[in-house]
Amino acid sequence: FSELVFAVYTSVFDVFNVIGHILKVVSFQMIYKAVFVSAINEPYEKLIHSNALLSKEIQENEEYAKVIQKALKEKENLIGEIFHRTKNSMELVRSLLMIQSSDFPEDKNIQEIVEDTSLKIQTMSLVHDHLYRNKDLSEIQVSDYLRSLSELVKSMYPHLGSSIDIELEANQGVLLLDTAVPLGLIFTELLSNSLKYAFNDVKNGKISIKFKIDGDRSHFEYKDNGVGLPASF
């Protein structure tokens, strides 16, 4: 009988022992969910919410960027059209001057004034032409601009032909509009004066022009082998 009682006691103890272990496991599982899972889920949900807000903000920024790019493109087109129309307006003024001067073919003073004025108008017009053709509407390539001016001035004195050699050295650099216009006027004034007055009694004339942009400074050198300035100058 004692053995039977011991066996029953042992069996009951084992059952309660197993149940106790099961309860411990369940308890730990509940504690895990209550502490660790909730501790992870809350920041994770906040992260998801933040990502959603960030995605929305990125989408809005992309839409704003498209609007800004469109507006910028429209402004670039508008500025380009302004340069083009300015050039055409200057050419119209020049044409009117030439027409008016044709009424006084024998008056050399009028013809010379119109010629000088026409050259200045073409110089300023050429700036706007280069700006219109350039991708950057705020600046022009100085070497291309000065070469175009040289060809322009030479074309106004065709009787000189190839007897005058113009050597132009200009490094690669850019000029803004407010610098290009005065430089062009100075350049054409010097070159036209040389072609008009410096080589009357000189053969194999030579003009040397050097322009260099060095940082925020520009160096301009001009010389010719003409008759030079009068002694009384």
Side-chain angles (χ1 to χ4, degrees):
F1 177 76
S2 60
E3 292 179 357
L4 178 60
V5 172
F6 180 77
V8 171
Y9 174 79
T10 305
S11 300
V12 172
F13 177 80
D14 291 339
V15 170
F16 280 103
N17 192 23
V18 171
I19 293 174
H21 283 292
I22 293 173
L23 291 175
K24 287 181 181 179
V25 172
V26 173
S27 298
F28 278 116
Q29 181 71 17
M30 293 176 66
I31 293 172
Y32 173 78
K33 287 184 177 181
V35 177
F36 295 99
V37 175
S38 61
I40 294 173
N41 281 344
E42 185 176 354
Y44 181 70
E45 290 175 356
K46 290 183 179 179
L47 180 61
I48 292 176
H49 181 66
S50 299
N51 287 341
L53 293 177
L54 183 60
S55 298
K56 182 180 179 181
E57 186 176 350
I58 291 173
Q59 185 177 0
E60 291 176 351
N61 289 337
E62 289 177 351
E63 293 176 356
Y64 291 148
K66 290 179 181 179
V67 172
I68 293 172
Q69 289 177 356
K70 182 180 179 181
L72 181 61
K73 185 64 177 179
E74 290 175 352
K75 289 182 179 179
E76 287 178 352
N77 292 336
L78 180 60
I79 293 173
E81 185 64 22
I82 291 173
F83 286 145
H84 184 61
R85 292 189 179 188
T86 302
K87 173 182 176 293
N88 291 342
S89 299
M90 289 182 176
E91 290 297 326
L92 178 60
V93 173
R94 175 177 169 272
S95 298
L96 291 173
L97 282 174
M98 301 299 290
I99 292 172
Q100 289 294 102
S101 67
S102 63
D103 294 337
F104 308 93
E106 304 299 327
D107 194 324
K108 292 185 178 179
N109 288 331
I110 291 179
Q111 295 298 323
E112 185 174 348
I113 290 172
V114 171
E115 184 180 275
D116 290 342
T117 304
S118 175
L119 180 58
K120 289 179 173 61
I121 292 175
Q122 285 181 290
T123 299
M124 292 184 288
S125 175
L126 196 60
V127 173
H128 291 277
D129 185 49
H130 276 263
L131 287 170
Y132 179 71
R133 289 183 294 167
N134 195 14
K135 292 182 179 180
D136 190 336
L137 297 174
S138 63
E139 56 190 24
I140 62 176
Q141 289 291 333
V142 62
S143 56
D144 296 339
Y145 175 54
L146 294 182
R147 285 187 172 83
S148 297
L149 287 176
S150 298
E151 295 299 323
L152 171 64
V153 177
K154 283 185 68 175
S155 67
M156 300 187 69
Y157 303 94
H159 61 281
L160 293 175
S162 59
S163 60
I164 308 299
D165 182 25
I166 300 177
E167 292 184 356
L168 173 63
E169 295 182 17
N171 66 339
Q172 292 295 326
V174 294
L175 292 175
L176 299 177
L177 177 62
D178 58 351
T179 305
V181 171
L183 172 64
L185 293 173
I186 295 171
F187 182 89
T188 53
E189 186 71 18
L190 289 170
L191 187 55
S192 61
N193 283 340
S194 291
L195 294 176
K196 284 192 290 186
Y197 307 117
F199 303 108
N200 293 332
D201 300 321
V202 177
K203 294 182 178 180
N204 299 322
K206 183 178 180 181
I207 299 174
S208 175
I209 307 169
K210 295 181 180 180
F211 187 87
K212 180 181 179 182
I213 298 177
D214 185 11
D216 58 348
R217 293 180 177 272
S218 299
H219 303 273
F220 182 42
E221 179 182 321
Y222 183 96
K223 60 182 179 180
D224 62 49
N225 63 344
V227 296
L229 297 173
S232 60
F233 183 80

